[in-house]
Amino acid sequence: MPNSEAVYFNGNYSPKNQTSLSILDRGFLFGDGVYELIPVYNKHIFYIKDHLNRLKSSLESINIDSSLVDDDEFIKIINSLIELNDYVNHYIYIHISRGVDKKRNHIYSKECEPTILIMGENYKPFDKSTIEYGKKAIIEDDYRWLKSNIKSTSLLANVLIKNKAFTDDAYEALLLRDQYLTEGSASNVFIVDNGVIKTPKLSNKLLPGITRKFLTDLIIENKLDFEECDISKDQLLTSDEIFCSSSTNPVVPITRVDNNVISNKAGPVSMELYNYVQEFIRETYK
Ligand code: PMP
């Protein structure tokens, strides 16, 4: 396709720069939709079943029938995009909105046909020296809604918070609700405390990250000490290590939080996990 990658949009493949949407799409008007972001490693789709299951659960949570996601069909579409665009290490973005409505109205009409967009995006994960150096984070109040377990496209609060972090030269904002850690603005958060890896337990206050699950699998497989528990601001700031996890960068050590130094470089447990991740990707997606 000339000058543009192919995207999948409502049953057809079209060039990314020529695919457009109705102004009455509820995703555009209300952020009324959900999404997924799935890494592709060496042309292979990462943890696809988990991503599709989370997508279906997000759809059900906003009253959209999840049977529109047929696993085999979606995998076929993603593989077609990988082939058509020659993706090697990209990520795939799936966006499903409630669809185009008759008029702008908070109350949605039952006849809305969901809009489905699937496209790839180029990205470059941090290199190992950046990981070893570690990143800065800031602490912010978690003022998002109480359904943060839904991977909703309504991301205004996350966008504002992440931009605040960016303005402060930080990679991420670590969010506190009632003085307890929930997650980052676009990542889950882990700490290491006396050799024990800890992360907040799943609830309506945080996204069930697929990388969080992947890391948990690696932690259990490698018999590291692990606990899902409440983490106070004080525990966060006095921990031995902190790292963030997300699909684009599975382990990002945080060495500075606001004006506090956590460690002068990435800690040993964070680096051990980072290396397990790299090894898993190398060995699984040859
Ligand atoms: N929490 C939030 C708020 C996110 O936006 C993300 C994804 N960027 C994550 C956690 C991590 O989720 P995943 O590991 O599935 O990418």
Side-chain angles (χ1 to χ4, degrees), residues 160-254:
L160 294 178
I161 295 169
K162 184 85 178 182
N163 277 273
K164 167 93 170 50
F166 183 74
T167 311
D168 291 355
D169 266 339
Y171 163 73
E172 184 54 299
L174 312 180
L175 304 177
L176 296 181
R177 189 182 286 277
D178 304 326
Q179 295 300 308
Y180 284 92
L181 176 69
T182 53
E183 58 179 340
S185 70
S187 62
N188 290 109
V189 183
F190 293 73
I191 65 166
V192 181
D193 186 18
N194 278 320
V196 184
I197 304 171
K198 299 181 177 177
T199 196
K201 43 184 176 298
L202 294 180
S203 73
N204 59 322
K205 295 175 193 158
L206 61 145
L207 188 78
I210 303 304
T211 321
R212 179 189 183 281
K213 176 168 189 296
F214 168 49
L215 293 182
T216 309
D217 290 348
L218 287 178
I219 288 167
I220 292 168
E221 200 181 302
N222 289 286
K223 301 189 170 52
L224 302 175
D225 286 332
F226 177 62
E227 200 184 327
E228 292 176 298
C229 56
D230 290 339
I231 297 170
S232 67
K233 180 178 179 181
D234 196 45
Q235 283 171 303
L236 180 68
L237 292 177
T238 56
S239 62
D240 303 318
E241 301 179 36
I242 301 175
F243 58 91
C244 292
S245 74
S246 73
S247 293
T248 40
N249 278 291
V251 177
V252 180
I254 300 297

Side-chain angles (χ1 to χ4, degrees), residues 6 48 69 98 101 136 139 162 166 173 176 178 191 199 247 256-257 265:
I48 182 63
V69 178
R98 199 177 304 278
D101 219 330
K136 178 186 166 185
I139 288 188
K162 184 85 178 182
F166 183 74
L176 296 181
D178 304 326
I191 65 166
T199 196
S247 293
R256 289 147 290 151
V257 179
K265 62 178 174 110

